[in-house]
């Protein structure tokens, strides 16, 4: 009586198939992480001096923020931020200011740049990762339908929003060229109190010509009674 032979099972065949699939997945993962690593690797294209002798602007090969700016100070960063951790571990850095495609580093003394410039450049290129979001900034588009004649009647909180929008549209881009920025601390009636960021902090002109230029611009755009004070 004829008995059909049982199906022959080759155990090695299954192993080879699984091994092949693992190899494909491994190659795919390696390719993905390789692309991700290349995308997030920063190179310093140029190093610029700023009006503040304690601050230097490092221009990068790609943006560190898609929009806005980010100020990082001692203790004001996550442990997972390797770049900030290693920068402040030098114990000579006052603050870091990031915007567009540059990082501005302010040291405790201008004399320290001779010793630490290359070290800081190496940390930027080795550890910097793109930040998903910066500090809160107001869109300048709210000025499109704004009547400046109404500015004096606004509440102080509403004035802050309008002042921020004016600064975003004109002043902040100009300050960014020198590796700096500013934030609005408060508006109290006709008084606007600001604090400089990045290279602008401690710059000799920050309490002179730059401050007058900011005040005159806000006077022209919003209210001739505006006075701008710096906040340390």
């Amino acid at each position: 009586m004829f008995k059909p032979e049982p199906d022959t099972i080759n155990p090695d065949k299954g192993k080879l198939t699984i091994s092949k699939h693992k190899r494909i997945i491994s190659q795919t993962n390696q390719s993905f992480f390789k692309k991700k690593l290349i995308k997030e690797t920063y190179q310093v294209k140029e190093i610029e001096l700023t009006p503040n002798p304690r601050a230097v602007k490092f221009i990068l090969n790609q943006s560190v923020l898609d929009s806005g700016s980010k100020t990082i100070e001692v203790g004001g960063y996550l442990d997972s931020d390797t770049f900030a951790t290693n920068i402040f571990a030098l114990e000579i850095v006052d603050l870091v200011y990031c915007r567009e495609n540059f990082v501005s580093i302010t040291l405790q003394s201008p004399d320290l740049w001779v010793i630490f410039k290359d070290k800081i450049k190496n940390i930027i290129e080795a550890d910097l990762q793109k930040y998903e979001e910066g500090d809160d900034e107001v869109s300048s588009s709210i000025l499109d339908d704004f009547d400046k004649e109404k500015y004096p009647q606004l509440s102080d909180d509403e004035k802050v929003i309008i002042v921020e929008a004016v600064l975003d549209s004109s002043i902040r881009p100009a300050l960014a060229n020198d590796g700096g920025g500013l934030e609005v601390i408060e508006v109290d009636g006709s008084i606007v109190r600001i604090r400089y960021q990045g290279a602008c902090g401690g710059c000799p002109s920050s309490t002179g010509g730059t401050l007058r230029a900011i005040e005159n611009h806000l006077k022209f755009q919003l209210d001739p009674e505006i006075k701008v004070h710096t906040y340390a």
Side-chain angles (χ1 to χ4, degrees):
M1 182 176 182
F2 176 75
K3 293 183 178 180
E5 296 184 1
D7 292 338
T8 302
I9 299 176
N10 184 350
D12 292 334
K13 183 177 180 181
K15 291 180 180 179
L16 289 173
T17 302
I18 294 173
S19 176
K20 181 179 179 181
H21 287 168
K22 285 183 176 179
R23 185 166 62 251
I24 293 172
I25 293 172
S26 176
Q27 291 172 348
T28 302
N29 287 341
Q30 289 177 9
S31 176
F32 170 78
F33 286 117
K34 184 177 180 181
K35 289 179 180 178
K36 184 176 181 182
L37 182 62
I38 292 174
K39 182 179 180 181
E40 295 183 350
T41 298
Y42 284 90
Q43 294 179 346
V44 176
K45 295 174 58 179
E46 191 174 350
I47 300 176
E48 291 184 357
L49 299 178
T50 73
N52 182 353
R54 294 192 298 122
V56 167
K57 180 180 177 182
F58 295 84
I59 301 175
L60 309 172
N61 62 322
Q62 57 183 312
S63 62
V64 68
L65 278 167
D66 287 331
S67 63
S69 63
K70 187 175 185 67
T71 298
I72 310 172
E73 300 179 278
V74 177
Y77 52 89
L78 299 176
D79 292 339
S80 59
D81 190 338
T82 305
F83 163 68
T85 300
N86 290 338
I87 279 290
F88 286 104
L90 297 174
E91 298 185 344
I92 56 156
V93 176
D94 266 355
L95 62 86
V96 176
Y97 180 72
C98 305
R99 189 180 183 95
E100 298 173 348
N101 68 328
F102 75 83
V103 175
S104 173
I105 309 286
T106 303
L107 302 187
Q108 295 169 2
S109 167
D111 298 332
L112 294 169
W113 280 113
V114 176
I115 303 171
F116 289 97
K117 182 174 69 175
D118 290 338
K119 176 67 174 178
I120 290 173
K121 175 179 177 290
N122 291 339
I123 291 175
I124 291 173
E125 294 185 329
D127 300 325
L128 182 64
Q129 296 292 316
K130 187 172 185 177
Y131 291 102
E132 293 183 0
E133 58 183 15
D135 303 326
D136 293 337
E137 292 190 6
V138 180
S139 173
S140 59
S141 62
I142 66 172
L143 297 175
D144 292 345
D145 299 319
F146 178 70
D147 181 1
K148 73 175 186 178
E149 299 298 328
K150 297 179 180 179
Y151 177 84
Q153 283 75 50
L154 298 177
S155 69
D156 288 343
D157 289 341
E158 291 172 327
K159 287 178 179 179
V160 169
I161 296 173
I162 298 300
V163 169
E164 288 275 19
V166 172
L167 295 175
D168 280 350
S169 67
S170 51
I171 299 298
R172 284 192 173 110
L175 296 179
N177 289 333
D178 288 329
L182 63 83
E183 63 176 324
V184 178
I185 302 301
E186 66 175 353
V187 174
D188 182 7
S190 62
I191 304 298
V192 177
R193 292 186 175 89
I194 64 170
R195 177 161 51 201
Y196 288 111
Q197 300 168 309
C200 292
C203 174
S205 67
S206 63
T207 56
T210 301
L211 186 64
R212 287 194 298 273
I214 294 171
E215 183 176 277
N216 289 337
H217 185 69
L218 291 177
K219 284 175 178 288
F220 177 76
Q221 292 290 334
L222 298 175
D223 181 4
E225 300 300 319
I226 285 179
K227 299 290 184 183
V228 179
H229 296 173
T230 56
Y231 184 90

